[in-house]
Amino acid sequence: MKKLFLLLLLVVSGSLTFKAQAQVSVNINLGAQPAWGPAGYDYVDYYYLPDIESYYYVPKKQFIYMGAGGWVFTTSLPPRYSGYDLYNGYKVVINSRQPYRYFETHKVKYAKFKGNHGQSAIGKSKGQKYSPAKGNAKVYKGDKGKPSLHFNKGNGNGKGHGNGKGKH
């Protein structure tokens, strides 16, 4: 009887410990965020880019923009945005599912951020918390072997700032 009681006590205490651990989980995706993303966020689902009226889905590293037949999901932006500097453009953080369904609302609500270059990017942050994310940027060499400051194939490599205000 004593052994059965001890076994039952061990099982109950083990399950109590497991429950306590499950309640302490925290969502952090710092390492998944691109270096051109705005500093100040531990978790991000999407960025809305008002300058080019497009989205970036952080978990899948996909740009989402309106194409001829509807929304296009790809790892790079189309040629029409080839000169867009991801570091310099404003990013609005949106943590909701499929925000592009609300594009018309976002287009109006965040139009005031077009041309705004006042955000601090993760890649330029001095905080240790962003160390995992800083390695996400690929710097492309320009004409004379110097790093290019402009967007190239969806990987981001310029200078930019971000402290998005669009939480949903």
Side-chain angles (χ1 to χ4, degrees):
M1 183 69 176
K2 212 178 204 182
K3 288 182 182 180
L4 182 60
F5 178 73
L6 286 174
L7 181 62
L8 183 62
L9 183 63
L10 182 63
V11 170
V12 170
S13 67
S15 66
L16 290 176
T17 304
F18 178 75
K19 286 180 183 178
Q21 290 174 347
Q23 293 174 355
V24 182
S25 68
V26 177
N27 285 332
I28 295 179
N29 69 352
L30 287 177
Q33 295 178 49
W36 51 262
Y41 297 92
D42 291 340
Y43 183 85
V44 176
D45 281 328
Y46 291 87
Y47 298 124
Y48 173 63
L49 311 168
D51 291 330
I52 58 173
E53 297 177 345
S54 302
Y55 296 88
Y56 182 78
Y57 184 41
V58 173
K60 289 193 175 182
K61 300 179 181 178
Q62 287 182 326
F63 289 95
I64 305 166
Y65 58 88
M66 185 58 76
W71 289 106
V72 176
F73 297 76
T74 182
T75 56
S76 62
L77 287 169
R80 68 180 181 251
Y81 301 130
S82 64
Y84 181 66
D85 183 352
L86 287 165
Y87 279 79
N88 205 23
Y90 198 87
K91 280 76 65 183
V92 178
V93 172
I94 300 178
N95 287 328
S96 66
R97 294 186 58 175
Q98 302 176 337
Y100 45 88
R101 294 182 310 162
Y102 308 102
F103 171 67
E104 291 302 324
T105 302
H106 295 157
K107 183 177 175 176
V108 173
K109 184 174 183 177
Y110 303 121
K112 63 187 172 194
F113 295 113
K114 282 187 175 187
N116 184 324
H117 306 296
Q119 287 181 313
S120 176
I122 291 171
K124 296 181 92 179
S125 173
K126 292 182 172 85
Q128 281 293 78
K129 110 181 194 178
Y130 293 114
S131 295
K134 286 182 181 181
N136 285 343
K138 293 182 182 175
V139 176
Y140 291 88
K141 300 296 179 184
D143 292 337
K144 298 190 167 91
K146 295 179 184 173
S148 170
L149 299 181
H150 294 285
F151 170 80
N152 190 352
K153 300 189 180 183
N155 294 314
N157 54 31
K159 307 286 183 210
H161 313 310
N163 75 30
K165 307 274 188 219
K167 296 182 182 179
H168 292 283

